[in-house]
Every structure is written in C-alpha cells, then in structure tokens.
Amino acid sequence: MYIERLKLHDYRNYNSFELNFSKTINIFIGENAQGKTNVMEAIYVLAMAKSHRTSNDKELIQWGAEYGKIEGDIQKRYGKLPLELTISKKGKKAKVNHLNQSKLSEYIGQMNVVMFAPEDLNVVKGSPQLRRRFLDMEIGQISPTYLHDLSSFQKILKQRNHILKKNQGKRNLDDLSFDIFTEQYVAAAVKVIRKRFEFMELLQEWAAPIHFGISREKEKLEIHYKAVSGLEASWDSTAMEEHLLAKLKEQKNRELERGVTLLGPHRDDLQFMVNNYDVQVYGSQGQQRTTALSLKLAEIELIKQEVGEAPILLLDDVLSELDDYRQSHLLNTIDGDVQTFVTTTSVDGIDHNTIREAKLFHVKQGSVDSE
C-alpha cells in the first residue's frame, strides 16, 4: 500500500497544503523546527488516529482554529481508499471512503504504518510503559479485536481501581461487586495477554534473523513477554484465568494497602536478550540500536504477512542516528518495496541509490516545495 495524496487543514503549523507523493521514497529536507516532523506525524495520525508525540489531541490543531483535518488517498491492492480524520476539542471523527465510522477501532487498520524515530530507541532502553504502548499500537493495526479487548480491559481496570481506592487502607473487603469486577477483570486481562503472547511469537520469528544479519551473524536476539503474574504462553485461557485469579487473591491485602490493581497487562513488560544477556541492562548503545532497528524491520515483514501488503514506513530524523552499516542495511531492506518517508536536515553523506532516486521536498516555516 502507499499514500498517493495528503491534504492538511489547520494541522500544527500548516494552514493548508496538498502534496502528491512518490510510491517509493519521499524525503523532507529542512532545518529543525520548520515542520518536517509535523508532516510525518500527520501521516501517522491518519493511520492510527493518535499521535506518537503527544496524548493531547488539542496540540494537533493549529493555534486559534476550531479543528484540524487530515485527508489522504491510499492506494491498496484492491484500489483507492480515501481516508479522513477531523480533530476538534470535542473529539475525533473518522471517514473511510467518505463514510462516517462510528468507532475509531473500526477505522484503525485501514492504513498500516511503521514509524521509526530517535525516541523509538527507548522501546529497548526506556520504561515498561513505552514497551506496552509499542505493543498496543502495533497489535492494534493488525487486529481490530485487540483494540476492542484492550478498551474493555481498561474500563474494567478503572472500575476495579476505583473500588480499591475507595477502600484503601482497609484490612478486608467483603464486597460482592468487587468480586464480580475481579472475575470480569481476569477474563478481560487474559484476552489481552494471550494476544500479546501471539504477537511477540510472530515478531520474534521475523526479528531474530534480521538481527542476526545486521550484527554480521554475531548476535542472537530473543524477545520475551514478561507477565508479572507469572502466566506462560503455552497455557490455555482457562489455566491463565485460574492462575491470575489465584494470584489476585494472594495480592488482595497489598492491593487494598496501595489502592491499585497490581497484576495484569498494565504492569507487564518486554525483555530483549542478545546472546543471553538483557540488552536493556547490559547492551551497548550499538546493540540497543540494532535491536530497535531489527524490531522495526520485523514489523514491516509481520504486517506484510498478516495484511497481505507492505505498510508505509516513516523514518523521522533517524538516519543520522544510525552508523553507515545499519543505515545501508535499512535502506537495502526497503529498496523499491516499501513506500518510505524520510526527514533529514541534509542528504549529504548518505550514499545510497534509494536516496538518489527519491522525490525531494524542501520544508521551511510551514511551507513545503517539491523538486
């Protein structure tokens, strides 16, 4: 798939613009703080209905405007698909093929993107929250049911936490509604965790050989989903539910003490092992970057396998973060197969056919000109 046309209205620092893209490589060149990343973000938001940079949607609307709008024409294997997303202070409205979508979960997945930005290095070395967000965003693209299950889980978690907070400090809680919420919570949590286990197994299959190649066949990558409750991927749903329910009963007094739910997918994490060492703790910066790059390239292959066509790749100021070898590996992988958007302050020093054949856009103070 590829995006043929992008139109913005009152989005970030753009009053309005309309651009047509190459279906191979598109490079946005300009100094920092001119609006290059805003274009990348707009493409990402068009696909995911949320930003990778902020959780506050109001920041996406140009200062003083009532709303911001992103429109795009996506070419898929079965033809053209117009997408539209309007962001206002009241929320978001999405259209697919000019038809309103009642739920955003039905909209997400129409267009698939893989974003690689400097902050994505933090998926490996940053907080567990970043890795959980990475999981939720990527699984959501290929599985609408996951977004529904995740939303249900989050609602029940909020209700359960509300009861715990209300009764914080008590030694015992004899509350039928709490027991019912706990049973509902367990069922919802297991659905999310099972999907995450399945996704990580698929990602591991693609990421391990990619990492082996980038590391010049010196490093073996393993990815583990670490469930704080001790759940194992090989267990069926019943075994998982029984185990999680038993663990929650054990933790009940601690949860009452703290006023929050202590076990579940909102507390789980990923672990990246390179040659049997935890790369987050013991890996060099180069190993952490190789792991992050392997994950992104694996995502492309996984989406291609699951959806039946390649996603759109967004490389936001990331080429300068990679050494020549990793840079070449990335560009060789995407050459001619994946529509790619690149932001950079300069293409000087990037010696690769892919870059030389790209469509160039120059960005200055919210204005974009193409060559």
Side-chain angles (χ1 to χ4, degrees):
M1 73 181 69
Y2 63 93
I3 180 167
E4 190 175 61
R5 179 187 70 99
L6 180 71
K7 190 175 178 181
L8 301 183
H9 175 78
D10 285 341
Y11 183 89
R12 293 281 194 181
N13 67 328
Y14 293 102
N15 292 109
S16 66
F17 83 44
E18 187 172 336
L19 292 176
N20 292 297
F21 300 125
S22 162
K23 62 180 180 181
T24 53
I25 309 291
N26 301 272
I27 301 179
F28 290 84
I29 305 166
E31 296 301 317
N32 292 329
Q34 300 300 304
K36 301 189 304 296
T37 293
N38 291 346
V39 179
M40 301 287 258
E41 179 191 45
I43 296 170
Y44 187 90
V45 173
L46 185 65
M48 304 296 291
K50 64 170 67 175
S51 170
H52 65 295
R53 297 157 75 198
T54 178
S55 56
N56 184 358
D57 291 335
K58 291 176 187 174
E59 292 177 20
L60 307 180
I61 306 167
Q62 190 172 65
W63 180 257
E66 289 296 310
Y67 66 91
K69 186 189 283 188
I70 312 167
E71 298 174 65
D73 290 331
I74 316 305
Q75 283 288 349
K76 302 184 81 166
R77 65 181 186 276
Y78 53 75
K80 186 182 285 189
L81 183 70
L83 297 179
E84 183 182 307
L85 192 70
T86 303
I87 305 150
S88 70
K89 286 155 190 165
K90 295 177 183 175
K92 302 190 196 89
K93 289 182 181 176
K95 290 183 181 180
V96 176
N97 206 11
H98 310 294
L99 298 173
N100 287 317
Q101 303 298 295
S102 57
K103 295 178 183 175
L104 285 175
S105 60
E106 293 169 359
Y107 171 84
I108 297 165
Q110 301 290 338
M111 168 187 172
N112 301 113
V113 295
V114 171
M115 165 70 83
F116 192 22
E119 57 264 30
D120 286 308
L121 295 169
N122 289 326
V123 169
V124 177
K125 64 182 183 180
S127 68
Q129 184 180 359
L130 284 171
R131 287 184 284 280
R132 288 191 293 268
R133 188 175 188 274
F134 159 76
L135 275 176
D136 293 339
M137 298 295 278
E138 303 317 324
I139 302 172
Q141 283 203 77
I142 58 176
S143 174
T145 56
Y146 178 78
L147 290 176
H148 177 266
D149 291 342
L150 182 66
S151 176
S152 298
F153 163 76
Q154 288 167 339
K155 284 174 187 170
I156 297 166
L157 172 64
K158 190 175 179 181
Q159 290 167 322
R160 192 174 188 273
N161 280 343
H162 177 71
I163 296 172
L164 285 168
K165 191 73 178 172
K166 200 168 67 173
N167 292 279
Q168 189 173 1
K170 289 185 181 178
R171 288 189 173 271
N172 286 301
L173 177 59
D174 187 15
D175 186 333
L176 183 61
S177 66
F178 180 73
D179 293 337
I180 291 168
F181 274 130
T182 298
E183 286 179 17
Q184 291 175 344
Y185 171 82
V186 165
V190 165
K191 282 183 182 177
V192 171
I193 292 169
R194 280 181 67 82
K195 198 69 185 176
R196 286 181 179 179
F197 271 130
E198 288 169 18
F199 177 80
M200 290 317 303
E201 198 175 305
L202 289 171
L203 195 65
Q204 162 78 30
E205 281 178 25
W206 287 109
I210 289 170
H211 188 102
F212 192 61
I214 299 174
S215 66
R216 296 178 170 92
E217 302 187 353
K218 291 177 183 173
E219 295 177 357
K220 183 185 174 187
L221 173 67
E222 292 176 35
I223 311 170
H224 302 292
Y225 182 74
K226 308 293 288 182
V228 288
S229 52
L231 299 179
E232 298 286 344
S234 58
W235 298 355
D236 64 18
S237 295
T238 304
M240 284 188 179
E241 287 180 18
E242 287 173 355
H243 178 87
L244 182 54
L245 195 57
K247 286 289 180 183
L248 285 167
K249 284 177 181 174
E250 286 176 18
Q251 294 289 327
K252 189 173 179 180
N253 288 337
R254 279 191 67 222
E255 288 188 331
L256 281 167
E257 206 176 282
R258 300 271 298 276
V260 291
T261 302
L262 296 174
L263 299 175
H266 63 298
R267 297 270 177 159
D268 293 349
D269 198 0
L270 296 181
Q271 184 182 43
F272 303 103
M273 304 293 288
V274 170
N275 292 347
N276 297 317
Y277 289 97
D278 187 332
V279 75
Q280 183 192 7
V281 180
Y282 301 107
S284 66
Q285 192 174 54
Q287 285 175 318
Q288 290 172 345
R289 288 183 179 197
T290 299
T291 301
L293 177 56
S294 300
L295 282 178
K296 291 298 168 180
L297 295 178
E299 275 184 69
I300 293 171
E301 298 302 328
L302 196 157
I303 290 172
K304 208 186 292 185
Q305 174 185 284
E306 295 296 307
V307 176
E309 51 191 324
I312 294 159
L313 179 62
L314 308 173
L315 302 175
D316 188 18
D317 201 26
V318 81
L319 290 181
S320 60
E321 297 284 324
L322 302 172
D323 61 28
D324 290 346
Y325 181 76
R326 292 182 182 89
Q327 203 179 85
S328 292
H329 201 100
L330 170 58
L331 294 171
N332 286 338
T333 302
I334 63 175
D335 194 10
D337 186 36
V338 179
Q339 187 187 33
T340 303
F341 293 84
V342 179
T343 63
T344 183
T345 53
S346 171
V347 289
D348 296 343
I350 305 173
D351 185 25
H352 197 279
N353 287 334
T354 303
I355 297 297
R356 285 193 286 273
E357 293 165 6
K359 185 171 183 179
L360 302 180
F361 298 87
H362 295 275
V363 184
K364 190 171 183 180
Q365 295 178 343
S367 174
V368 183
D369 298 311
S370 62
E371 287 187 9

